Amino acid sequence: MSTAHVRALLDHVATELPRESWPHWTEGWPHEIEAGLLDAAFSARATYGMPTTGVRAVITRWRDHRAAPLDDLTALAAHADEPEDLLAVLNNRQRVPGNYTTKAEAVASAARSLTELGCTTSADLRDDEAQRNALVAAPGFGVATWECFTMQLGVRTAGSHQLVCDFLGEALDLETPPSAAEAEDLLAAAAARLEITPATFTHAVWRYQRAQRRVAGAR
């Protein structure tokens, strides 16, 4: 990919997801599996908000309650049988898609299922069938929840990688999306120009493309 491709990509980004208004210019929640799970749950069909509102406000409340690094799912799993305390801490009673239960209850249930498989910290997370099935078994959670959860922790799935490649293909008006190697080179080059990490750039792009697909699917 040429310098012209990088320039065209940055122009597209500046138009579609400018850094001053797009709230997802972060690396996600690396090394914080609790925050990643909360994000995946509470960002579903909800306004993401800014640092002190929406999803990040929920995570901040949990962080203040924990007063510890957010990388141990047993803390959330402890609320699986009696989620009222978790609901009170998070101060958010949003319900999952389908209205089966609250997002807080689903988070606690998924956390317990994952810990039972030995997935307790971010270092334990893998894109494998057993862990994915454990999470999507929680009422109201699905493959999109899994994709969001893993992306927050820097674990790329085939689906999340395809979304990023599709964005690059659309941004550069390519007949076919770039290969995996070409995509990584483009992401790294664009991130360097923006003076951010490739993980931050990839996360922002993935969030944007995911939102666009969701809007298109609702039409």
Side-chain angles (χ1 to χ4, degrees):
M1 291 289 173
S2 66
T3 301
H5 282 122
V6 175
R7 189 181 307 114
L9 173 58
L10 292 174
D11 287 345
H12 185 73
V13 166
T15 299
E16 297 296 325
L17 51 154
R19 293 171 74 179
E20 62 270 16
S21 60
W22 185 241
H24 301 293
W25 287 99
T26 72
E27 290 190 335
W29 303 101
H31 313 301
E32 292 198 309
I33 197 168
E34 297 163 65
L37 183 54
L38 289 166
D39 188 305
F42 283 89
S43 61
R45 299 188 183 182
T47 301
Y48 195 77
M50 301 306 284
T52 59
T53 63
V55 176
R56 280 185 278 187
V58 168
I59 295 170
T60 296
R61 292 181 197 117
W62 181 244
R63 189 183 303 281
D64 291 345
H65 171 76
R66 288 272 282 120
L70 301 186
D71 201 32
D72 184 351
L73 284 180
T74 60
L76 288 166
H79 295 279
D81 290 326
E82 297 184 11
E84 280 302 316
D85 285 347
L86 181 60
L87 284 161
V89 169
L90 302 182
N91 192 27
N92 187 305
R93 290 184 173 270
Q94 289 179 7
R95 301 186 73 81
V96 296
N99 203 35
Y100 303 105
T101 186
T102 64
K103 292 179 177 179
E105 290 173 278
V107 162
S109 175
R112 179 165 64 182
S113 295
L114 286 167
T115 58
E116 288 173 349
L117 288 176
C119 180
T120 301
T121 73
S122 56
D124 303 320
L125 184 64
R126 303 285 186 273
D127 181 28
D128 67 32
E129 185 175 4
Q131 291 188 15
R132 182 173 63 253
N133 289 344
L135 183 134
V136 303
F141 283 1
V143 173
T145 315
W146 173 252
E147 295 280 346
C148 187
F149 175 46
T150 54
M151 189 68 177
Q152 304 314 302
L153 279 300
V155 175
R156 298 273 196 91
T157 67
S160 61
H161 183 73
Q162 188 60 54
L163 275 182
V164 173
C165 287
D166 289 347
F167 173 89
L168 297 175
E170 293 167 14
L172 302 180
D173 197 24
L174 302 176
E175 291 185 5
T176 59
S179 68
E182 290 171 335
E184 292 302 324
D185 287 345
L186 267 172
L187 293 166
R193 292 279 293 274
L194 292 170
E195 299 183 335
I196 57 176
T197 64
T200 297
F201 187 67
T202 302
H203 178 239
V205 163
W206 175 83
R207 283 280 198 180
Y208 171 84
Q209 191 70 2
R210 182 172 183 254
Q212 294 301 107
R213 292 293 172 84
R214 189 163 56 242
V215 170
R219 290 171 182 165

